[in-house]
Amino acid sequence: MAGIYIHIPFCSQRCSYCNFFSVVSINLLNEVIDAIIKEFSIRKDYLKNEPVQTIYFGGGTPSLLTIQQIEKLLNTIYKNFPVEKNAEITFEANPDDLTEKYLSDLKKLGINRLSIGIQSFDDNKLKILNRRHNAFQAVEAVRVAQRSGFNNISIDLIYGLPFQSLIEWENDLDKAFSLPIQHLSAYALTFEEKTLLLKQKEKKLIEPADEELMIKMYELLLNKSNQNGFDAYEISNFSLPEFYSRHNSSYWTQTPYLGIGPSAHSFNGFSRQWNVASIHKYIERIMKNNSFFEQEILSLQDRYNEYVLLGLRTKNGINIDELEQNFGIELKNFCLENIKTFIDNEKVYRYGSFLRLTTAGKLISDTIIAQLMMV
Ligand code: SF4
C-alpha cells in the first residue's frame, strides 16, 4: 500500500502563523504544473508498483487550481500508478474558493474528501491570522460542500490564538460540531520561524496563551469531541467512526508515500527525500533533468525514533512486540526503561502489547516523546 502527496505551492496571501513553503504570486502556476507532471513520470517507479490507496492535494492552496489543472494531474497519476478503486482522494481548500460549481466539479473528478482550512469562526481572530475568508464564508463552505454531495469533510481549527479566551474556543468548537463535518484537525498555535506572528510576539504586540489556558483548551477539545461522537484517533485529529484520514494515518504507520512538487517529502521505508523548496529551482531542475531533491538514508535509530514519535501520538499507541521485531531487543528495552516513570505516574498505560497515552499523558506528550528518543 502507498500514498501520493501533491504540493501546490501557491497562496493568495500569507497567513500570519504559517511557514509552509508557498509563494503569493501565481505567475508560474502553469510551469509548476508542467514540472509536476514531468516529476510524476520521472518517479513512477518510486512506489514499486504498490497499490495507491490515498492521494492528497495539499499546499499552499490547491483550491487555486482550475478544474482542468486538477483533472490533468489526476489523469497523470492514473496513467503512472495503480490507484485503488476506492482510494481516498483529499483536496485541501480555502473556504472562499469553494463555490457550488467548483465543488460539484471536484466531486465529478472523483475527489471524495475535503479538508477546509477554517482555523477559527471568529472574524477578529481570522484577521489576526490574516486569513482571506470570514466566519460566514467558513460556515457556508461546509454547508455548500455537503449540498454538493461531499460526505467526508474535514475542517482545521487552531486554538491558543492571541487574545483567545476559553469561552471563545468553546464557541469555535460548538460551531464546528453544529456543521455537517466528519473530521476535525485542531492544532495548538505555535510561533514558527519567519512568521508575522512570531515578530509580533517578539515585539510584545501579542501575548501567547499561557500553559494553563492551553491545557484547558485541549481538555475542552477532548470533551467536546467525545460528546459529539468524534474519536480522538491522534493527538490533533478527531473523527466520526469510519472517517479517520487514511492518508494521514498512513504517515503515522510509516507506509511509503511519494511527495511531488516543490518542497514535497517522500518516504519509502528506508530513506526520506525532500524536493528543493524553490519554485524557480524546481522548474529548472526538473525540466533540465537535473537532480531536484536531497536524500537521507534512515538509520535503525532514526526509524525507531520516528516509529515512537508518530505512534505514541495515535490512539493505538506503540506496539512493543512490533518494536522488538523491527528494531531489536536493545531499542525495545531502551523504550521500556524510559517509559516506566510515565506508566507509574499514569501518563501512559499498557494495553496488551500496546503502550498508549492517558488523557493526562496527552497533555505532556512532547515531554514523554522527548524522553523516548534515542539521540
Ligand atoms: S496557512 Fe495555508 S493558505 Fe495560509 S499561507 Fe499557509 S499554506 Fe497558504
Side-chain angles (χ1 to χ4, degrees):
M1 292 296 174
I4 290 179
Y5 172 83
I6 309 121
H7 190 75
I8 306 299
F10 299 97
C11 294
S12 300
Q13 65 188 44
R14 169 106 343 234
C15 303
S16 61
Y17 56 94
C18 175
N19 74 346
F20 290 165
F21 177 70
S22 70
V23 295
V24 287
S25 152
I26 56 164
N27 286 346
L28 291 172
L29 180 56
N30 284 326
E31 286 81 351
V32 167
I33 302 253
D34 289 344
I36 284 178
I37 286 171
K38 184 163 177 199
E39 189 188 348
F40 270 123
S41 62
I42 294 171
R43 303 182 73 193
K44 66 180 186 319
D45 296 326
Y46 184 82
L47 297 172
K48 299 194 172 23
N49 224 26
E50 278 291 315
V52 172
Q53 57 174 359
T54 63
I55 298 172
Y56 195 104
F57 287 86
T61 312
S63 51
L64 291 177
L65 295 176
T66 64
I67 292 297
Q68 291 70 26
Q69 287 167 330
I70 302 162
E71 186 172 25
K72 212 165 148 185
L73 292 172
L74 281 171
N75 286 340
T76 307
I77 296 173
Y78 296 139
K79 202 174 101 194
N80 289 294
F81 300 89
V83 178
E84 282 196 340
K85 218 170 152 213
N86 67 345
E88 175 190 275
I89 309 181
T90 304
F91 191 82
E92 278 184 359
N94 267 17
D96 48 330
D97 291 328
L98 294 179
T99 63
E100 207 143 355
K101 170 88 176 86
Y102 193 70
L103 282 159
S104 81
D105 287 346
L106 287 178
K107 191 92 186 53
K108 282 185 206 141
L109 286 184
I111 306 282
N112 51 28
R113 184 170 184 274
L114 284 178
S115 171
I116 309 178
I118 286 180
Q119 320 309 350
S120 172
F121 290 102
D122 177 326
D123 282 335
N124 290 327
K125 301 292 179 289
L126 288 169
K127 276 190 196 125
I128 293 172
L129 297 176
N130 200 33
R131 296 291 300 181
R132 259 161 53 191
H133 65 277
N134 59 35
F136 176 78
Q137 289 170 311
V139 171
E140 269 308 290
V142 177
R143 297 219 164 106
V144 178
Q146 185 203 28
R147 285 205 299 276
S148 307
F150 282 94
N151 58 9
N152 193 351
I153 303 172
S154 177
I155 66 168
D156 284 0
L157 291 179
I158 306 178
Y159 61 95
L161 298 174
F163 315 113
Q164 187 180 37
S165 66
L166 191 60
I167 300 280
E168 286 171 328
W169 174 230
E170 186 167 16
N171 290 341
D172 269 359
L173 288 171
D174 288 342
K175 178 54 86 182
F177 289 121
S178 74
L179 293 172
I181 59 166
Q182 291 72 36
H183 189 281
L184 167 67
S185 298
Y187 300 99
L189 178 70
T190 51
F191 291 84
E192 303 294 337
E193 291 296 317
K194 297 185 189 160
T195 60
L196 181 62
L197 271 194
L198 179 65
K199 280 189 198 128
Q200 291 173 334
K201 184 181 139 207
E202 284 167 353
K203 286 184 187 158
K204 305 220 177 305
L205 297 172
I206 52 168
E207 272 288 308
D210 65 37
E211 207 182 317
E212 199 184 324
L213 178 59
M214 288 301 253
I215 289 175
K216 283 188 181 149
M217 285 179 164
Y218 188 67
E219 283 171 338
L220 189 65
L221 169 63
L222 291 177
N223 289 339
K224 291 270 175 190
S225 312
N226 191 28
Q227 284 160 16
N228 286 280
F230 278 59
D231 195 11
Y233 73 103
E234 199 264 354
I235 281 191
S236 306
N237 287 278
F238 307 82
S239 86
L240 291 175
E242 314 286 316
F243 287 96
Y244 291 11
S245 161
R246 283 161 59 196
H247 188 80
N248 290 347
S249 299
S250 70
Y251 290 154
W252 306 325
T253 51
Q254 298 176 304
T255 306
Y257 60 88
L258 171 64
I260 297 280
S263 83
H265 286 223
S266 303
F267 169 72
N268 64 4
F270 298 96
S271 71
R272 283 202 179 280
Q273 295 183 353
W274 54 98
N275 287 355
V276 60
S278 152
I279 305 272
H280 286 97
K281 284 183 190 157
Y282 174 75
I283 297 170
E284 193 192 318
R285 291 182 190 178
I286 293 261
M287 289 312 181
K288 290 189 176 161
N289 297 318
N290 290 333
S291 169
F292 53 89
F293 60 80
E294 287 181 70
Q295 175 169 259
E296 177 191 20
I297 306 293
L298 300 172
S299 65
L300 186 72
Q301 189 178 316
D302 293 333
R303 286 189 285 123
Y304 157 85
N305 283 343
E306 286 201 4
Y307 177 88
V308 171
L309 170 76
L310 299 170
L312 207 56
R313 290 178 55 94
T314 65
K315 181 184 171 186
N316 265 348
I318 48 178
N319 181 338
I320 48 176
D321 292 342
E322 203 172 79
L323 199 68
E324 181 174 341
Q325 223 170 36
N326 294 347
F327 310 108
I329 187 91
E330 271 182 37
L331 283 170
K332 175 190 152 182
N333 287 341
F334 171 82
C335 177
L336 288 177
E337 265 164 42
N338 284 282
I339 211 163
K340 194 176 171 309
T341 333
F342 298 110
I343 296 176
D344 295 344
N345 295 338
E346 299 183 353
K347 302 289 190 283
V348 173
Y349 69 101
R350 219 173 146 152
Y351 182 83
S353 54
F354 287 89
L355 293 167
R356 295 177 177 164
L357 295 176
T358 61
T359 300
K362 285 179 185 174
L363 299 172
I364 57 155
S365 60
D366 288 347
T367 311
I368 300 174
I369 289 167
Q371 201 64 35
L372 302 180
M373 293 293 99
M374 171 68 100
V375 284

